[in-house]
Amino acid sequence: MDPYAIGAKAGDAAEGAKHYTIGDLAREFGVTLRTLRFYEDRGLLSPRRDGTARIYDARDRERLSVILKGKQLGFTLTEIRAMLAEERSGNGPAMNLKLSLDQIEDQIQHLEQQKKEIEEALAELQARRAGIAAAA
């Protein structure tokens, strides 16, 4: 297995022809219906339609798992879409975010910078809160 691949396990694909409603996936992954429709609008998910109902298959479920893992790691939907497009060209049994060492290093640097900015903002807000509490 690729040590830099993140996503659904090969065994997950064995679920075969199982189908899911939008509500099923929303509950399973703890996302809103709006989130799933948004991912569909952005071309990340492609459920089939049965009238107005969206019917998701095991592939869509795997893709959603990978999308959410990518979001958790701080990647943008544009970056995730590109990674999924690369995966589509492969013939692997499972869908993954295949990350290069450069992508990992860049994302670590980006997240470290965000962490620093958040810590600075927290320190300033905590100082202001202490100042207000002391004046009260």
Side-chain angles (χ1 to χ4, degrees), residues 37-54:
R37 289 189 296 264
F38 179 78
Y39 291 159
E40 182 183 350
D41 289 344
R42 295 293 186 253
L44 295 166
L45 296 175
S46 303
R48 72 178 169 83
R49 296 294 186 120
D50 185 6
T52 59
R54 290 168 168 83

Side-chain angles (χ1 to χ4, degrees), residues 23-39:
D24 293 337
L25 289 183
R27 276 186 297 280
E28 179 179 350
F29 289 96
V31 297
T32 65
L33 303 179
R34 184 175 178 183
T35 296
L36 294 173
R37 289 189 296 264
F38 179 78
Y39 291 159

Side-chain angles (χ1 to χ4, degrees), residues 55-117:
I55 307 299
Y56 297 88
D57 59 19
R59 180 180 166 276
D60 290 314
R61 184 182 172 279
E62 284 183 26
R63 285 178 69 85
L64 179 58
S65 175
V66 172
I67 291 163
L68 295 175
K69 176 53 79 171
K71 291 297 293 170
Q72 179 186 16
L73 295 174
F75 290 100
T76 66
L77 289 180
T78 302
E79 292 167 327
I80 293 168
R81 182 183 302 112
M83 290 177 216
L84 287 172
E86 289 175 21
E87 181 66 28
R88 217 180 274 160
S89 64
N91 294 323
M95 195 167 297
N96 296 295
L97 287 180
K98 291 203 175 166
L99 305 172
S100 69
L101 187 56
D102 285 343
Q103 285 174 307
I104 291 170
E105 291 295 335
D106 288 346
Q107 192 64 8
I108 288 171
Q109 183 180 2
H110 174 72
L111 292 172
E112 289 288 346
Q113 179 61 37
Q114 282 185 326
K115 179 181 173 186
K116 179 182 171 215
E117 291 169 6

